[in-house]
Amino acid sequence: PLANPIGIAWDGEFLYVAESDAGVVRIFDALGGDAGSIVIPSASGVTSAYPSVLAVADGRVAVVDNAADRVVVVEAVPATSATITLTPGSSGQEPVQPTAVAYADGEFFVADAADGTVRVYDSEGGYLRTLGGAGVPMGFSGGLAMTPQGLVVTDPGAGRLIVLDPESGEQIEVHEG
């Protein structure tokens, strides 16, 4: 059995599962066969990683690590101790309390529960812009998804989905209930 599987991501060939209590991302092939594990290294001062939400990003996997309040990006290949290839916002614009991540069109979208926004980073982790905030009140978001309509943000505390323009952050639509 998996040790508290929380998040999943699919790249068209492999299924990545955040096995949170084990601190790993398990990899399965299209038929459910075991294709390996990616062990997420713990952050400095933290005893272990706690991967929860995943996003596939051009041969990489972005991982929300709740134990360290960080998002890390690792290669999408089995590794006994993955090498972190980048940390979005590490130059001073990192999310304070990341809760969800998505990747689309060369950009990482990271929900930040500390201020109810979505921070956007380029494919190398550089900060680009912030979506939401005072004009679009959002709470804790457990999920993000890019759709043809826009960036869908879950707002479970309010029981709704918010669709944002991924460039301007303008609220396009709200789905209540």
Side-chain angles (χ1 to χ4, degrees):
L2 298 172
N4 195 19
I6 295 180
I8 62 171
W10 171 253
D11 70 0
E13 184 177 0
F14 293 103
L15 180 70
Y16 301 87
V17 179
E19 194 175 358
S20 298
D21 287 352
V24 304
V25 174
R26 293 280 301 274
I27 307 170
F28 298 95
D29 65 24
L31 298 176
D34 187 353
S37 297
I38 304 169
V39 178
I40 305 301
S42 59
S44 177
V46 179
T47 58
S48 64
Y50 193 85
S52 62
V53 181
L54 308 174
V56 176
D58 297 331
R60 303 173 293 173
V61 179
V63 181
V64 173
D65 174 10
N66 292 121
D69 283 329
R70 66 182 180 164
V71 175
V72 295
V73 179
V74 298
E75 294 299 319
V77 296
T80 55
S81 182
T83 299
I84 296 171
T85 60
L86 68 95
T87 302
S90 59
S91 61
Q93 290 289 339
E94 66 275 354
V96 176
Q97 188 179 1
T99 56
V101 63
Y103 183 81
D105 300 324
E107 296 180 332
F108 292 98
F109 297 84
V110 179
D112 191 344
D115 60 4
T117 63
V118 175
R119 295 175 186 260
V120 185
Y121 304 92
D122 65 23
S123 64
E124 298 305 313
Y127 173 78
L128 296 173
R129 61 191 175 281
T130 299
L131 309 178
V136 182
M138 297 182 294
F140 168 93
S141 175
L144 300 172
M146 187 61 73
T147 70
Q149 290 74 36
L151 179 68
V152 179
V153 181
T154 66
D155 188 0
R160 63 187 182 164
L161 299 174
I162 302 168
V163 182
L164 301 177
D165 179 284
E167 290 296 322
S168 70
E170 180 181 327
Q171 183 174 298
I172 297 171
E173 200 170 356
V174 176
H175 300 280
E176 301 284 346

